[in-house]
Amino acid sequence: MTIAPLPAHAPAADLGDFAIIRRLVHDYMGRQWPALVLAVVCMIVTASMNGVLAWLLDPAIKKIFLDKDVQMLITIPLAIVGVMSLRALTSFGEQSLLNTIAERIVAAVQSDMLRRQIRLDLSAMNAVHSGESVSKFLYDATLLRASITRGVAGLGKELVTLIALSVVMVYQDWQLALISVLLLPVVAWVTQRLSRSLRKSSTRGMEETGVLSRALSEALSGRRIIKAYNLENYAAAATDARIDARLRYILRAVRARAAAVPSTDLIGGLAAALTIAYAGWQGLHGQLAINQFASFVAAMLLAQQPVRNLSQLWTISTEGLSAANRIFAVIDAKPRIVNAANAKPLAIEPAPKGGAVTLKNVKFSYHADSPALEHLSIDIPPGRKIALVGPSGAGKSTVFNLLLRFYDVDSGAIEIDGQDIRGVTLESLRDHIALVTQEPILFDETIADNIRLGRRDATMAEVIAAARAAAAHDFIEQMPKSYETRVGEGGLKLSGGQRQRIAIARAMVRNAPILLLDEATSSLDTESERQIQDALHTLMKGRTTVVIAHRLSTVLDADRIYVLDGGRAVEAGTHGELMARGGLYARLYRHNLNDDAPEPNSLAAAQVN
């Protein structure tokens, strides 16, 4: 799958409100400029019609009530109907177009977020809880949608409406209009103060929403442990604490939004009172005709609504801009594990010559003060099987992480057929490796789809052949829809052993020259393990295989066993050689690797002999 490059920008945390708006327009709205232009035209027409309605009061009173023009009894009502009809039509077009644009923008933003997030290296992905990421995808995107449809778009519409009504007021009496306009800076100041408070509360509220999503995700994913240990009350209390924390910030934002309209109404009422008092004084002195006064007052009263809306819409826009800031922070994140400028596809010779893996004096640390691997050197000839054993934390899984370039070595090098893996493309490197993990990862798709993830273009015949080889075909055929049966969240509709066989079938259909088995048979019973071991022996023929060993059956036939401890290879040899040496491997064998095996002495003797 080819993923198009994302636009490069400065980190969103450095952007101001208007810079974020410019970016939304440039990166997302710009893709839909025809619809956007038409929406703006509809918006301008809709807003202008409010001014036309206010102005029509002038000729209506003058021609009908003062001049007694009978013809105007038909003309002016028809004009009003025409204006209202045009406003209804353009309002529908504006709302329809803007909502379509907003939904498309949100979809594009969510797509860019996922594309960026999924391409980050593991260290960056592990630093953010999946619940918080989901919160940004859903909650922040919803706020962004509201900001576009009601906030930014609404601000434009209300501003045009206010300008049109102001033109009518100035046309009727500029002195009266000046009184109303002078109070607008006060409205702007109040709105800015409330928006600043709302921005802070909204940002913290979004952060708490992410934390709440994390708590909910853990409560649901850990439901078996919660029930087994009677932790329902504890889990509920922990979630309640997060709900309360989020509620505090949301209520602050609610109060800030609620204060916007009354504050504006108070200032607007003061402006109306002053204006009407001055207009009345003018009328008493014959300086203002009744028709002009009626038109002016109508425009002024109509202008109160856009002023109220502007104060409210600005707060909505503020929330959306806070959400956009968090969204752009995700989109702008840069992965550290990337293709080198001159990276070339990995070239592996056909079996049995190709697939040699070499670790040369590798050093690596997840954290600066705790090295995971120190001066580790491993040489794996093409087509051979080696096993990695050692106590927990010895560095076995780290070797797999480095081979797949989930992380890069701090020093030293990893080579495949003499090619430093940092100099080849990530796609080609991972195309040549098949991985089976200790905990099989299945997606809520069909069984066939889960197997086909190993190679997306695999035919159904190849999928079935892989399932047969993994001893999975028989139980799959017994499922309600055979290979088209959905496996449920995480494969919960299948047993642990069934999930593992599906994962092994996925590795088989990949047909990669390098095979990584991370405790691949740990979830299987003895009978299933025998079946899988037969399949794995077939799969490993001609392939370079690295096994993280747990059970005896994954160790005895290894060409070479590396014993890791503290990130170093402290022993290496065959099973028999290591047992005869009586070192760490022999101790681990006796204590950890002989649960389902014959007596170690007889096996050791058999290997030595």
Side-chain angles (χ1 to χ4, degrees):
M1 180 176 63
T2 302
I3 296 180
L6 293 171
H9 293 273
D14 297 333
L15 298 177
D17 289 349
F18 291 104
I20 292 174
I21 293 172
R22 283 198 304 270
R23 181 167 175 183
L24 282 169
V25 171
H26 180 270
D27 290 356
Y28 298 101
M29 290 185 182
R31 305 177 188 177
Q32 305 175 66
W33 66 266
L36 185 61
V37 169
L38 185 56
V40 170
V41 170
C42 289
M43 181 192 303
I44 292 172
V45 173
T46 301
S48 300
M49 290 303 99
N50 291 320
V52 174
L53 286 172
W55 175 81
L56 279 174
L57 278 176
D58 183 344
I61 293 174
K62 185 175 185 300
K63 298 294 184 180
I64 296 175
F65 293 99
L66 299 180
D67 296 345
K68 311 297 182 181
D69 188 342
V70 177
Q71 183 64 33
M72 289 296 106
L73 283 173
I74 300 173
T75 303
I76 291 179
L78 286 176
I80 292 173
V81 171
V83 169
M84 294 295 291
S85 299
L86 180 59
R87 188 176 72 168
L89 180 64
T90 55
S91 179
F92 169 78
E94 167 210 337
Q95 289 299 316
S96 178
L97 288 167
L98 284 176
N99 277 281
T100 300
I101 291 170
E103 293 295 346
R104 287 177 176 168
I105 288 174
V106 169
V109 165
Q110 289 174 324
S111 176
D112 286 350
M113 288 174 69
L114 179 61
R115 287 164 52 202
R116 178 63 74 199
Q117 191 77 15
I118 210 71
R119 293 184 74 83
L120 288 177
D121 45 273
L122 277 184
S123 59
M125 295 181 74
N126 292 339
V128 180
H129 194 281
S130 59
E132 295 183 38
S133 297
V134 171
S135 172
K136 291 177 183 178
F137 276 97
L138 300 180
Y139 181 67
D140 290 7
T142 300
L143 290 178
L144 179 60
R145 181 191 299 112
S147 175
I148 295 170
T149 55
R150 297 178 58 202
V152 176
L155 285 171
K157 178 181 176 180
E158 300 301 342
L159 279 173
V160 174
T161 300
L162 191 59
I163 291 170
L165 293 170
S166 297
V167 168
V168 174
M169 289 191 288
V170 171
Y171 173 78
Q172 297 297 352
D173 193 303
W174 67 269
Q175 293 174 315
L176 287 175
L178 187 61
I179 295 175
S180 301
V181 171
L182 285 176
L183 289 173
L184 286 179
V186 180
V187 175
W189 178 81
V190 172
T191 301
Q192 184 183 28
R193 296 278 297 182
L194 291 173
S195 296
R196 189 179 305 163
S197 173
L198 180 64
R199 178 71 175 265
K200 186 183 299 183
S201 299
S202 296
T203 299
R204 292 301 303 274
M206 282 182 270
E207 291 171 355
E208 287 296 334
T209 299
V211 176
L212 175 60
S213 297
R214 180 176 65 193
L216 290 172
S217 175
E218 290 180 347
L220 294 174
S221 62
R223 52 191 176 271
R224 296 182 69 185
I225 296 299
I226 288 174
K227 287 186 173 297
Y229 285 86
N230 292 322
L231 295 174
E232 288 91 344
N233 290 337
Y234 170 80
T239 305
D240 285 344
R242 301 271 48 97
I243 292 173
D244 290 341
R246 176 177 179 269
L247 181 61
R248 283 197 299 272
Y249 292 109
I250 287 179
L251 290 180
R252 290 181 190 178
V254 166
R255 286 191 290 270
R257 283 194 297 270
V261 171
S263 301
T264 304
D265 284 348
L266 181 61
I267 298 170
L270 177 61
L274 291 174
T275 302
I276 291 174
Y278 183 61
W281 183 85
Q282 285 185 310
L284 291 174
H285 291 78
Q287 298 176 7
L288 185 66
I290 186 63
N291 54 300
Q292 291 177 302
F293 175 73
S295 178
F296 181 92
V297 170
M300 182 187 67
L301 293 177
L302 286 173
Q304 294 295 314
Q305 189 61 40
V307 171
R308 295 172 79 241
N309 291 344
L310 282 172
S311 64
Q312 195 170 31
L313 291 171
W314 184 252
T315 62
I316 295 173
S317 300
T318 297
E319 288 182 306
L321 292 173
S322 298
N325 203 41
R326 283 163 50 86
I327 288 170
F328 287 143
V330 174
I331 294 176
D332 292 340
K334 304 296 183 184
R336 292 185 298 174
I337 308 298
V338 296
N339 288 330
N342 58 347
K344 298 179 180 179
L346 177 64
I348 295 183
E349 292 188 51
K353 294 183 179 180
V357 177
T358 306
L359 280 72
K360 295 182 175 179
N361 199 31
V362 169
K363 292 182 66 176
F364 174 75
S365 299
Y366 293 103
H367 307 287
D369 56 345
S370 55
L373 296 179
E374 289 192 275
H375 306 291
L376 179 64
S377 295
I378 295 176
D379 188 19
I380 311 172
R384 299 295 181 86
K385 174 185 176 181
I386 71 115
L388 304 177
V389 302
S392 178
K396 303 183 294 296
S397 296
T398 299
V399 172
F400 279 20
N401 288 337
L402 295 177
L403 280 171
L404 287 159
R405 265 199 90 194
F406 292 158
Y407 302 86
D408 273 338
V409 299
D410 296 333
S411 64
I414 298 177
E415 296 179 354
I416 296 178
D417 279 358
Q419 303 160 81
D420 191 320
I421 63 173
R422 290 170 294 187
V424 302
T425 61
L426 284 166
E427 296 79 10
S428 66
L429 169 67
R430 293 168 185 170
D431 278 344
H432 286 85
I433 299 175
L435 171 68
V436 180
T437 59
Q438 180 178 2
E439 292 295 330
I441 305 299
L442 300 185
F443 298 90
D444 189 10
E445 299 178 0
T446 67
I447 292 174
D449 287 336
N450 272 283
I451 295 175
R452 199 176 278 116
L453 290 175
R455 185 161 53 85
R456 296 298 297 164
D457 60 352
T459 65
M460 195 61 202
E462 291 172 320
V463 168
I464 294 173
R468 288 185 185 276
H473 178 73
D474 290 343
F475 84 77
I476 293 174
E477 284 291 283
Q478 296 173 6
M479 301 298 288
K481 295 183 179 180
S482 185
Y483 284 85
E484 296 306 311
T485 302
R486 296 185 72 92
V487 301
E489 181 184 358
L492 289 178
K493 293 182 180 179
L494 305 177
S495 68
Q498 289 173 335
R499 292 196 296 270
Q500 190 65 283
R501 291 186 229 178
I502 297 297
I504 292 172
R506 178 192 299 162
M508 288 180 168
V509 84
R510 192 168 186 79
N511 196 27
I514 298 172
L515 181 62
L516 306 182
L517 303 176
D518 184 356
E519 313 279 17
T521 59
S522 62
S523 297
L524 305 178
D525 55 42
T526 304
E527 179 61 29
S528 296
E529 183 183 3
R530 284 198 207 93
Q531 296 175 342
I532 291 299
Q533 283 300 331
D534 291 340
L536 289 177
H537 283 307
T538 301
L539 177 64
M540 289 186 288
K541 286 180 180 177
R543 290 180 171 82
T544 304
T545 304
V546 185
V547 179
I548 291 180
H550 176 67
R551 292 191 176 185
L552 178 64
S553 54
T554 62
V555 176
L556 294 180
D557 62 347
D559 295 302
R560 194 166 183 79
I561 301 169
Y562 287 86
V563 185
L564 305 186
D565 189 25
R568 297 174 181 268
V570 296
E571 292 180 326
T574 65
H575 172 77
E577 292 168 350
L578 293 173
M579 287 299 297
R581 195 174 299 168
L584 176 59
Y585 175 81
R587 295 196 301 273
L588 289 172
Y589 179 85
R590 294 189 183 98
H591 289 94
N592 301 314
L593 297 178
N594 62 348
D595 292 341
D596 300 313
E599 288 300 316
N601 289 338
S602 60
L603 278 169
Q607 288 293 318
V608 172
N609 293 335

